[in-house]
Amino acid sequence: MDESDVSCYTRRVNRLRFIAALLAFMIPLSGSVPALANETLWTGSAANRARADALVAAIRSAADHGLDPKWYGLAEVEKAVESGTDPATETLLTAAFVAYASDLSTGRVRANRIDKDIDIIQRKVERTDLLKAAAEASDFSTYLANLAPKGDYPALQKALAVWRDKRGKAAFTQLPNGNLLKPGMTDPRVPILRQRLAELDLVVPEPAAVAAPALYDEPPATLIKSYQETKGLTVDGIIGAKTTQSLNTTIDERIDQIIANLERRRRLPADLRSRHVLVNAGDYSMTFVDDGRPVFQSLVIVGTPKDPTPEIQSTMRGFQTNPYWTVPQSISGEEYLPMLRRDPNALQAAGFRIFENWSDDTELDPASVDWSSIHPKAFPYRIRQEPGAGNALGYIFFPFPNRYGIYMHDTANRWLFTEGSRNFSHGCIRLQNPLDFAEKAFGGKSGFSKERVRQVIDSGQQAHYTFPEPITLYVTYRTVTASADGVPIFRDDVYGRDRRVVRAMAKP
């Protein structure tokens, strides 16, 4: 080896060491990469070379999971596998494996760090455990493949491939903004709307009259209603700002949505437990699984974009009838203070009482307060709504520990469940049929009877009921799910979280 060869070799080793160090820094795990009794994993034998080849193949296919092969130094890993058996090669492949395996099995980003409205218990993996499993795996390729979640995750992967294939092939025509377009109206946007619907693989009948191509008649209006229903929009056939924005969602944006939702599934536990409630704020749904099978499903109402429902994991242990509603200070200052300034007695008719502080029940005469002197951000009094038909929590309240002060409950405004887009709350979860859920949660145990609970509710009594077994609660935000036959179902990203997830994934 002459001087130039030595120099080239030294540069290559130094580069590999740098890439290995960079990958190790990027891995969101504590500790250093351990050696396995000074044995090699990737070099020195035919079996190790096969393991290295399997790792390279997996990293090459990382994009199938919405991950980027460059995040794991693919080019350098490929060169290292082909050219060397030096310690730098072993270090580089070890770091790349741990980074890839960690991202695939538990999520690339720590969700709690990227959004204040996320507080989940995200799994972590130890380097030692990953390397031990890699060394002991009889079929390393199968081991790597099994790191990914199950459920609808493979269906989302297929959807990602399909939508990537559409990119560059499918036409995209943007629908212009404008005034409300209602069925029966004539508007120059209608031909563009028909073209956009056709691009979405919807069969659009020809206009009823050749001379009236700009007429928004019943056939396209029916398609719009169906589209609105699938996207969680108000199903009225009217083209407004939200429907226009949804129709103008680009292919790249849909791809990013799928990538974000693959990441969300990776950070959930592999096993959601045989008894759990899964609330999806992304599609306004709730499912109760008992003994491993769905036994109850319901529509829910969740938070507005201003007050989004957080993503959390908690435990439900029971419920209460005829609850009080203690109004959060933020709502008191923002919503009720203006009412009190106009009329100090404005809240009394709706069953509200005002107390002097948060420590005792010394009631306040609202007429004795100069409400114009109260600052909305420093509302000092406690407002509480008494139980009854108009109570914001309805007749049933399901508490669970969380740092946001939200809960699941009944509602006095049941008509809101007829809306397609059901984000009306301040973050709490309103359940359509709470008593039916309670019945399923008891599962015929403890002598539970809906009829007796109704009698307690009608009597105005506040009673507490404890479930026979606790229920694990997951509040998620999945804007892409897969139907039973594997077809992806998109909802619009009303909270803007998908974009934040994808941006965070791209960062070291």
Side-chain angles (χ1 to χ4, degrees):
M1 182 180 295
D2 60 25
E3 183 176 342
S4 63
D5 290 334
V6 171
S7 176
C8 180
Y9 177 79
T10 301
R11 285 198 303 271
R12 185 179 71 83
V13 170
N14 288 340
R15 185 172 64 251
L16 291 183
R17 285 174 175 160
F18 172 76
I19 294 294
L22 180 62
L23 281 170
F25 175 78
M26 290 165 59
I27 303 169
L29 302 170
S30 59
S32 58
V33 178
L36 293 175
N38 296 320
E39 294 180 3
T40 59
L41 275 175
W42 320 105
T43 61
S45 70
N48 286 0
R49 174 58 190 262
R51 187 183 290 115
D53 289 341
L55 176 61
V56 171
I59 293 177
R60 283 175 182 157
S61 301
D64 296 346
H65 299 275
L67 305 171
D68 190 336
K70 291 185 293 186
W71 295 340
Y72 314 105
L74 175 62
E76 297 295 337
V77 166
E78 288 176 326
K79 291 177 185 177
V81 169
E82 290 301 322
S83 63
T85 60
D86 54 70
T89 298
E90 191 73 22
T91 301
L92 177 69
L93 266 66
T94 296
F97 161 67
V98 174
Y100 174 77
S102 171
D103 288 358
L104 185 58
S105 60
T106 65
R108 176 164 173 79
V109 299
R110 308 315 294 174
N112 297 354
R113 297 177 184 173
I114 65 170
D115 196 316
K116 66 180 178 60
D117 293 316
I118 300 178
D119 187 21
I120 62 174
I121 303 171
Q122 190 168 352
R123 292 178 299 136
K124 294 183 180 181
V125 290
E126 297 295 336
R127 289 185 173 87
T128 306
D129 295 336
L130 287 173
L131 295 172
K132 184 174 185 293
E136 294 176 350
S138 58
D139 185 334
F140 189 61
S141 295
T142 300
Y143 164 76
L144 289 173
N146 287 336
L147 289 173
K150 304 300 185 290
D152 65 349
Y153 187 90
L156 290 178
Q157 285 186 279
K158 291 179 182 177
L160 179 60
V162 169
W163 279 79
R164 279 176 168 161
D165 187 60
K166 287 183 179 183
R167 185 165 48 194
K169 296 181 180 179
F172 177 85
T173 303
Q174 183 157 330
L175 180 67
N177 293 315
N179 296 326
L180 291 179
L181 177 56
K182 300 179 180 180
M185 295 176 65
T186 299
D187 191 287
R189 290 173 290 169
V190 174
I192 303 173
L193 172 64
R194 288 177 172 275
Q195 184 175 346
R196 182 71 192 115
L197 291 173
E199 292 168 357
L200 294 170
D201 298 327
L202 299 173
V203 180
V204 188
E206 292 297 321
V210 177
L215 175 64
Y216 183 42
D217 53 7
E218 189 58 34
T222 299
L223 287 179
I224 285 295
K225 288 178 183 177
S226 176
Y227 177 87
Q228 289 171 331
E229 185 173 11
T230 63
K231 297 297 180 290
L233 300 166
T234 299
V235 183
D236 53 13
I238 298 173
I239 309 295
K242 289 184 178 180
T243 298
T244 299
Q245 182 181 11
S246 179
L247 288 167
N248 286 337
T249 303
T250 66
I251 291 175
D252 282 341
E253 288 171 331
R254 292 301 186 201
I255 289 172
D256 281 351
Q257 276 193 271
I258 299 172
I259 290 173
N261 282 273
L262 284 167
E263 174 72 4
R264 286 194 182 99
R265 183 58 191 90
R266 287 192 290 264
R267 68 194 188 201
L268 280 175
D271 179 9
L272 298 181
R273 301 186 183 180
S274 63
R275 181 175 167 89
H276 70 266
V277 162
L278 184 67
V279 173
N280 184 6
D283 68 1
Y284 317 111
S285 70
M286 174 271 211
T287 301
F288 173 41
V289 173
D290 197 15
D291 197 22
R293 60 187 181 87
V295 296
F296 177 80
Q297 293 179 313
S298 175
L299 305 178
V300 296
I301 292 169
V302 297
T304 65
K306 179 178 177 293
D307 296 299
T309 295
E311 296 175 61
I312 59 176
Q313 179 177 337
S314 189
T315 303
M316 305 176 70
R317 300 186 183 278
F319 70 93
Q320 178 191 329
T321 60
N322 295 312
Y324 293 117
W325 178 42
T326 300
V327 183
Q329 285 179 294
S330 59
I331 299 176
S332 297
E334 291 177 12
E335 298 185 17
Y336 291 153
L337 180 57
M339 298 169 62
L340 291 166
R341 286 173 174 172
R342 291 191 297 268
D343 177 7
N345 298 313
L347 300 181
Q348 290 180 331
F352 288 93
R353 298 167 65 188
I354 305 177
F355 301 93
E356 291 186 353
N357 53 60
W358 288 73
S359 59
D360 60 50
D361 287 346
T362 303
E363 197 161 356
L364 179 74
D365 178 5
S368 67
V369 178
D370 178 10
W371 295 106
S372 63
S373 68
I374 303 299
H375 194 283
K377 299 294 185 183
F379 194 89
Y381 308 115
R382 176 165 53 98
I383 299 178
R384 187 180 77 188
Q385 189 178 30
E386 300 299 290
N391 187 284
L393 305 185
Y395 293 110
I396 299 180
F397 161 74
F398 300 88
F400 46 85
N402 67 93
R403 66 184 179 90
Y404 302 96
I406 70 162
Y407 23 80
M408 186 183 296
H409 60 85
D410 187 16
T411 179
N413 299 317
R414 297 197 158 276
W415 62 272
L416 291 175
F417 286 106
T418 63
E419 295 290 325
S421 178
R422 294 185 295 277
N423 48 340
F424 302 111
S425 80
H426 289 92
C428 286
I429 302 155
R430 305 179 194 173
L431 192 59
Q432 186 178 27
N433 300 300
L435 199 51
D436 292 339
F437 164 58
E439 182 180 48
K440 292 294 185 181
F442 275 87
K445 299 177 182 177
S446 304
F448 182 84
S449 165
K450 282 199 305 184
E451 289 69 27
R452 283 199 291 272
V453 175
R454 285 196 184 98
Q455 292 172 4
V456 170
I457 290 173
D458 292 342
S459 71
Q461 180 182 354
Q462 289 186 323
H464 296 265
Y465 297 81
T466 302
F467 296 145
E469 301 172 55
I471 300 173
T472 302
L473 171 68
Y474 302 96
V475 182
T476 63
Y477 178 73
R478 300 194 63 191
T479 57
V480 187
T481 56
S483 63
D485 53 0
V487 176
I489 302 169
F490 290 94
R491 294 298 180 115
D492 293 328
D493 180 20
V494 296
Y495 291 167
R497 290 181 187 164
D498 289 344
R499 295 187 294 274
R500 292 197 288 273
V501 169
V502 173
R503 284 199 299 266
M505 289 177 66
K507 296 178 181 178

